[in-house]
Amino acid sequence: WLGVHLRVIDPSFIGIVEGDINVKVQVKNRQQNLTIPVKITVVPCPERSKRVLWDQHHSISFPQAFVPADELISDSQVNFNVLDWPADHLYTNFNSLFDYLRQEGYYLEVIQENLLSFDAKKYGTLILMDSEKEFSNREILKLENDVKEKGINVIVIADWYSEEHLNDIHFFDQETKRWYPPETGGSNVPAINKLLMPFGISFRTQGVFSGIIFYKGCRLKFDSGSVLDKYPDHANVYFSRLWSIRTIKNKNARKKAKYVADTEEENLPFMASVSSYKGNIIVFGDSSCFQGVDPSCLPLLKDMLVDFGI
């Protein structure tokens, strides 16, 4: 891969910047020159409400650690991939989300460092999608101040987490010939709960839930997610009929388990919004419907940015 960072020296410049990146590739005694054309458009700094931050820092990609897939129930258990291999990036499995928000006039910036690295006064929204790493105490204090005092809005999209299910999942690495236990669930719900504690919000850490959500005439798939455990009395909370996903264990404990939805369903809280501060907090329990080629939850994300005051 090749990463390029470009910076505009003159803050008043608006226009087209283009040129070539010349690379020499040498393998043993063979050398080849490669020319990569680059052309970018420099625009005026967007208004704060249109500037969206995407937290990449708290995502874990293999081989840093084994993080299981976000979807426990697939259309075909034969094709079920236990490894969360796409790395949860705007340019991979969230590419459709990226294109959608750009078409809607939003400008997205990716945070590669922790939450201490940005000035909240410059941005309208921070998206924490499927976070897997821990948040430091300094990050938690800063985010609380960013929302309550500086007015940034935060969208937190979690995913499944259950100790019971984690015990049934292992990944065999063909390269090292070793079995690896999972670092966390689809997302690190205990870490997310710690981050949300100052706002009185938390997800359940037991149980994985699935179902169909009907939202403003849209049919959204809640694949393998978490439901809310606590939320403030003044929060706007959304409920839907969801099934609990149970495990069918394989006789060989090292082989992957199968997951099926129970026949009984419950009316459970899957989303909530809190608007008691200068900024708003919105939480949702499943990331699967925001990723892939044709994500069903993109209209919901637009509503999070528009209808909920973000």
Side-chain angles (χ1 to χ4, degrees):
W1 57 271
L2 173 66
V4 179
H5 176 77
L6 302 176
R7 183 166 63 97
V8 179
I9 303 298
D10 182 0
S12 63
F13 175 79
I14 299 173
I16 303 293
V17 176
E18 57 183 325
D20 295 324
I21 298 175
N22 297 309
V23 181
K24 287 185 177 180
V25 180
Q26 184 168 341
V27 180
K28 295 183 179 181
N29 297 326
R30 184 181 178 184
Q31 178 176 299
Q32 186 171 355
N33 296 325
L34 177 66
T35 299
I36 305 172
V38 177
K39 183 176 182 180
I40 62 171
T41 302
V42 179
V43 300
C45 184
E47 58 184 278
R48 183 187 185 189
S49 63
K50 292 296 184 179
R51 299 185 71 181
V52 178
L53 286 171
W54 175 276
D55 173 36
Q56 191 64 37
H57 177 76
H58 292 93
S59 178
I60 301 176
S61 59
F62 188 81
Q64 296 178 41
F66 163 45
V67 176
D70 296 327
E71 298 182 37
L72 289 183
I73 297 182
S74 64
D75 293 335
S76 172
Q77 288 287 347
V78 175
N79 296 324
F80 173 68
N81 193 335
V82 72
L83 182 65
D84 191 19
W85 61 270
D88 293 340
H89 198 285
L90 284 174
Y91 304 155
T92 56
N93 52 321
F94 287 99
N95 180 252
S96 294
L97 180 151
F98 174 79
D99 291 341
Y100 179 81
L101 291 185
R102 285 294 297 118
Q103 292 170 5
E104 294 296 325
Y106 292 95
Y107 295 83
L108 288 86
E109 299 179 37
V110 178
I111 307 175
Q112 301 288 359
E113 304 297 329
N114 61 37
L115 300 185
L116 305 177
S117 62
F118 67 91
D119 182 358
K121 291 183 179 179
K122 295 181 178 180
Y123 300 92
T125 307
L126 167 66
I127 297 178
L128 297 165
M129 180 70 73
D130 198 9
S131 301
E132 293 148 352
K133 288 183 182 177
E134 297 286 336
F135 296 90
S136 70
N137 290 333
R138 292 180 64 195
E139 288 181 290
I140 294 170
L141 289 172
K142 178 181 182 292
L143 189 67
E144 179 183 9
N145 184 69
D146 286 348
V147 173
K148 294 182 177 180
E149 303 299 331
K150 296 185 179 180
I152 195 170
N153 305 292
V154 179
I155 297 174
V156 178
I157 310 295
D159 214 283
W160 71 268
Y161 183 92
S162 170
E163 292 290 345
E164 176 189 356
H165 291 69
L166 289 176
N167 291 334
D168 297 326
I169 299 177
H170 293 80
F171 172 68
F172 184 73
D173 188 347
Q174 295 287 351
E175 189 70 26
T176 62
K177 306 301 180 183
R178 289 177 53 194
W179 287 96
Y180 288 87
E183 184 77 12
T184 185
S187 66
N188 192 338
V189 170
I192 293 173
N193 285 347
K194 187 177 178 182
L195 183 73
L196 294 173
M197 189 180 298
F199 309 103
I201 304 172
S202 67
F203 289 95
R204 289 192 197 177
T205 55
Q206 294 296 330
V208 181
F209 301 90
S210 178
I212 300 298
I213 296 170
F214 294 94
Y215 178 80
K216 291 189 174 180
C218 296
R219 189 175 183 269
L220 313 179
K221 186 179 181 182
F222 195 91
D223 192 278
S224 309
S226 296
V227 296
L228 290 165
D229 183 39
K230 296 180 182 178
Y231 41 83
D233 292 337
H234 53 273
N236 295 315
V237 185
Y238 298 78
F239 291 77
S240 185
R241 307 291 294 180
L242 299 174
W243 294 268
S244 175
I245 295 177
R246 59 186 176 87
T247 307
I248 300 178
K249 296 183 179 180
N250 195 298
K251 292 181 180 180
N252 184 339
R254 287 301 189 180
K255 291 186 177 181
K256 66 187 181 186
K258 292 184 178 181
Y259 303 94
V260 297
D262 280 338
T263 54
E264 295 184 6
E265 59 182 6
E266 299 179 74
N267 197 36
L268 298 168
F270 65 90
M271 180 172 68
S273 64
V274 179
S275 306
S276 304
Y277 316 107
K278 290 184 178 179
N280 304 316
I281 292 279
I282 297 176
V283 296
F284 186 86
D286 182 36
S287 69
S288 299
C289 63
F290 293 94
Q291 54 185 299
V293 178
D294 187 22
S296 62
C297 284
L298 294 186
L300 172 61
L301 182 62
K302 180 182 177 181
D303 280 357
M304 291 179 177
L305 292 166
V306 178
D307 292 352
F308 295 160
I310 291 184

